Amino acid sequence: MWPGALDALATGLYAHVQPERLPYDSALSKHFAKTRQLGERTEKFDGRLDELCRDTIKNTLISLIYGDKDTDHSEAVRYELDKLEKLDAQCWIIAAAEKYLEDRQ
């Protein structure tokens, strides 16, 4: 009758689905369960990735600050410190990096 009316109706119905009221073994119920599971895995993965980034930056700062004492690494330390602060990291290396920069001024 109207072009696209069936698609619009199906989309409207799908938007109002309550996943907890679907039959347990239905395809749509499995779809919602899989989507929820993928979301949870993605959250865990994102958290681990952020932790890995923080650890990598911390190790880089440690090697810059305590490695070669003869070379001034202030610019690199400032760069790594900015990256670490963007990740909302709270650790001892931040204070050490700030002291390093303070001592080099």
Side-chain angles (χ1 to χ4, degrees):
M1 194 184 275
W2 294 288
L6 187 56
D7 288 340
L9 176 64
T11 302
L13 290 174
Y14 183 77
H16 292 88
V17 170
Q18 296 175 353
E20 63 276 358
R21 296 188 68 194
L22 294 171
Y24 178 72
D25 265 350
S26 71
L28 198 52
S29 176
K30 290 177 184 176
H31 166 74
F32 279 108
K34 186 70 170 177
T35 302
R36 182 177 52 251
Q37 182 184 31
L38 289 173
E40 291 168 358
R41 284 183 179 176
T42 302
E43 269 184 45
K44 286 181 184 178
F45 181 76
D46 287 345
R48 289 179 182 157
L49 189 59
D50 285 347
E51 184 178 339
L52 181 64
C53 287
R54 283 190 294 270
D55 288 346
T56 302
I57 295 167
K58 289 177 197 177
N59 289 334
T60 303
L61 280 170
I62 289 169
S63 68
L64 288 170
I65 293 170
Y66 300 112
D68 182 15
K69 299 286 185 182
D70 299 330
T71 308
D72 183 16
H73 299 287
S74 295
E75 186 177 334
V77 168
R78 202 172 290 112
Y79 175 73
E80 295 297 329
L81 189 58
D82 286 342
K83 289 193 314 187
L84 198 57
E85 288 174 349
K86 286 178 185 174
L87 291 171
D88 294 326
Q90 301 295 324
C91 56
W92 66 271
I93 195 65
I94 291 176
E98 289 171 347
K99 184 173 180 346
Y100 177 88
L101 292 172
E102 194 176 288
D103 292 346
R104 298 289 188 244
Q105 285 184 352

